[in-house]
Amino acid sequence: MRKLLLLFVVLSTMNVFSQETEYSILVKDIETLQPIENATVVVLKTKQVLLANEDGKVTFVLSGGSNVQVSEMNYEEVTLRWAVLKENEFVVYIKNKKENLDEVVVSQQNPQKILQKIVSNSKQKLNFPYRLKVYVREFFMLDNQYSYYNDGLVNFQFNKNNTTTLLVEQNRSYGLLETDISADLKGYNLNNIMENYSNFKYFEPLLDTKAKKQYDFTTKGHPTNKGIYIMSVSPLDKAKEAIDNFEIIYDPEKKLILEFTVSVTPANLDKMEDQTKIGSRNITKSFVKVNYRWDGKEYYVLSSNEEIGYDIILKDKTKNIQVRNSFVTTGFNRQNFTYKESDVFKEKSLFNKKNKILTNYWDTSGFTATDEEKAIIASLEYKL
């Protein structure tokens, strides 16, 4: 009888731990109580890395228990025990480091030489075979109205020289587009964009020997993290071609780029002469932000956000097109893929790929949609 009772208890316990439970965490500043966007949440059992959305929220599914690590570059790291995560939308408060180190960094080397070294070292760190599982999504706007959406769970196999092979696990596309502008709404080339992040393609104008005549370089200590520097690069007033502003956050000791932003200010856009020829595109918005993860052992692309907007000149009208693209890495692995050549995704984007939905992959994507984004996706889904 005792043996049967013991067996029943063991089986019951195994059943509890085998069930998957959804958890949600809200990450907030302990003083301001404001949500912390892009805070990193690591489920230590599964090594899954999640990013908080603009509401400071992450959701994930877990079988059994796991401690959870919460961090952000400007804040002190916190590790949560699994026992406290049973409450839905558990709020974790983290403390700003506030070290106020915003002084100009004095160095014998000029900033461009430093940038050349950290770009070279970062590129070398990424130049080995590995694979990333990535959740990718795109929002399309036509004349300031959301008109199309696609997302997918994809796998990038990194080869020599940071070239990639792409396989698509699942994807979905919603919305209707006008035929006369559909050729302009093809979305991003997924292989190209990931290869650009790994090869640091965006920095090429800054690494050129003539860059000093076009840009002003300034390096400062990070305001809340003494082990990190920030390099700001902006176009000189006399620059004729340079319009991009750069902010590069890097570890000066390891010589690794942790984050960079490339953006164009309205003032710099005003420098550009509008094109009037039919088919011409005049940029109205340009923004890129890429984050890299260094966990003490592995270094890889963690997330990205890109926004591009432009007016396209048609025969009888001008239309504004905006595309917002996001990448979130959900898994890193040093193993190579095993696949057939026919499985390789050879198109540029998920734009016209037939829907393949096996699971609610977007709910465990590493990035939680906000209520506003969910409403946009739902409205486009109903158009079909």
Side-chain angles (χ1 to χ4, degrees):
M1 189 67 180
R2 288 181 180 178
K3 290 182 179 180
L4 289 174
L5 182 59
L6 179 60
L7 179 61
F8 175 78
V9 171
V10 170
L11 291 175
S12 298
T13 303
M14 290 176 62
N15 184 54
V16 169
F17 279 91
S18 65
Q19 292 178 351
E20 290 191 336
T21 305
E22 182 177 284
Y23 297 91
S24 60
I25 296 175
L26 299 177
V27 185
K28 295 187 177 183
D29 186 298
I30 196 170
E31 294 184 359
T32 67
L33 305 183
Q34 293 300 308
I36 302 174
E37 186 177 5
N38 287 333
T40 301
V41 178
V42 181
V43 183
L44 296 178
K45 177 183 178 181
T46 61
K47 305 300 181 183
Q48 184 181 9
V49 180
L50 309 103
L51 288 182
N53 62 20
E54 62 185 49
D55 296 329
K57 184 177 181 179
V58 300
T59 59
F60 59 95
V61 174
L62 183 64
S63 175
S66 172
N67 290 350
V68 174
Q69 189 180 77
V70 182
S71 62
E72 206 278 343
M73 195 178 301
N74 302 304
Y75 291 80
E76 296 179 359
E77 186 177 285
V78 172
T79 299
L80 303 174
R81 295 180 61 191
W82 171 68
V84 305
L85 297 178
K86 294 182 179 179
E87 181 184 351
N88 187 36
E89 291 200 353
F90 178 82
V91 182
V92 55
Y93 299 95
I94 55 179
K95 185 178 180 181
N96 196 302
K97 293 179 180 178
K98 289 187 177 179
E99 297 191 25
N100 298 318
L101 299 174
D102 195 20
E103 77 277 4
V104 176
V105 175
V106 179
S107 173
Q108 293 181 347
Q109 285 188 311
N110 67 57
Q112 189 189 39
K113 292 287 187 183
I114 294 173
L115 182 60
Q116 289 171 345
K117 286 186 177 181
I118 63 173
V119 168
S120 176
N121 188 62
S122 299
K123 187 187 297 187
Q124 186 177 357
K125 274 284 187 182
L126 292 171
N127 192 14
F128 65 92
Y130 63 99
R131 57 187 165 106
L132 295 182
K133 180 172 288 191
V134 177
Y135 173 69
V136 57
R137 66 177 189 174
E138 292 177 299
F139 289 92
F140 299 82
M141 294 183 73
L142 171 62
D143 292 335
N144 295 314
Q145 290 188 334
Y146 285 99
S147 57
Y148 204 84
Y149 174 83
N150 71 52
D151 68 9
L153 192 61
V154 304
N155 291 278
F156 289 94
Q157 173 66 54
F158 285 78
N159 312 304
K160 291 182 179 180
N161 300 320
N162 287 328
T163 59
T164 57
T165 300
L166 177 62
L167 282 79
V168 178
E169 287 189 14
Q170 302 185 62
N171 68 284
R172 58 178 177 167
S173 298
Y174 296 133
L176 297 175
L177 298 171
E178 297 183 24
T179 56
D180 61 336
I181 51 85
S182 61
D184 297 285
L185 285 177
K186 291 298 184 185
Y188 289 85
N189 184 318
L190 298 181
N191 275 310
N192 282 358
I193 195 171
M194 183 58 86
E195 290 172 6
N196 288 344
Y197 296 156
S198 301
N199 289 307
F200 299 91
K201 187 82 172 177
Y202 294 92
F203 294 104
E204 287 185 356
L206 306 183
L207 304 179
D208 190 280
T209 55
K210 299 178 181 179
K212 292 181 181 179
K213 297 180 180 180
Q214 298 284 324
Y215 295 94
D216 177 52
F217 293 76
T218 305
T219 306
K220 296 183 179 182
H222 194 280
T224 61
N225 194 325
K226 64 182 180 181
I228 293 174
Y229 289 170
I230 302 175
M231 184 179 294
S232 300
V233 187
S234 56
L236 296 169
D237 291 337
K238 63 181 180 180
K240 296 181 179 180
E241 299 178 1
I243 62 170
D244 290 323
N245 289 274
F246 296 79
E247 183 178 85
I248 303 146
I249 301 176
Y250 67 98
D251 185 321
E253 183 178 341
K254 297 181 177 65
K255 293 182 174 58
L256 290 178
I257 294 174
L258 304 176
E259 177 185 304
F260 74 81
T261 304
V262 185
S263 61
V264 180
T265 64
N268 287 336
L269 283 175
D270 290 341
K271 292 181 182 179
M272 302 176 65
E273 183 177 348
D274 285 347
Q275 303 296 312
T276 58
K277 185 179 178 181
I278 293 177
S280 299
R281 301 181 184 185
N282 295 308
I283 295 175
T284 59
K285 178 189 296 185
S286 180
F287 175 85
V288 180
K289 183 176 182 179
V290 184
N291 290 277
Y292 298 82
R293 177 168 172 78
W294 168 252
D295 61 5
K297 182 180 179 182
E298 309 293 359
Y299 179 64
Y300 55 89
V301 176
L302 175 61
S303 66
S304 70
N305 288 285
E306 293 205 24
E307 294 183 42
I308 183 71
Y310 57 89
D311 290 329
I312 182 168
I313 309 300
L314 303 176
K315 184 176 181 179
D316 56 348
K317 65 181 74 173
T318 297
K319 291 191 175 183
N320 179 256
I321 294 171
Q322 297 178 54
V323 185
R324 179 157 56 96
N325 172 284
S326 300
F327 278 11
V328 181
T329 295
T330 68
F332 169 93
N333 199 313
R334 283 184 173 268
Q335 295 180 352
N336 291 333
F337 284 128
T338 54
Y339 59 88
K340 297 181 295 185
E341 187 61 28
S342 59
D343 294 331
V344 176
F345 184 69
K346 297 181 179 179
E347 295 184 40
K348 291 183 177 180
S349 76
L350 301 177
F351 188 86
N352 287 322
K353 182 172 172 55
K354 184 178 180 180
N355 287 6
K356 180 182 179 183
I357 302 174
L358 305 176
T359 65
N360 291 348
Y361 60 88
W362 49 87
D363 289 336
T364 56
S365 63
F367 189 81
T368 304
T370 63
D371 290 340
E372 179 185 11
E373 290 167 340
K374 289 178 181 178
I376 293 169
I377 297 168
S379 68
L380 294 173
E381 182 181 0
Y382 289 132
K383 286 185 180 181
L384 291 180

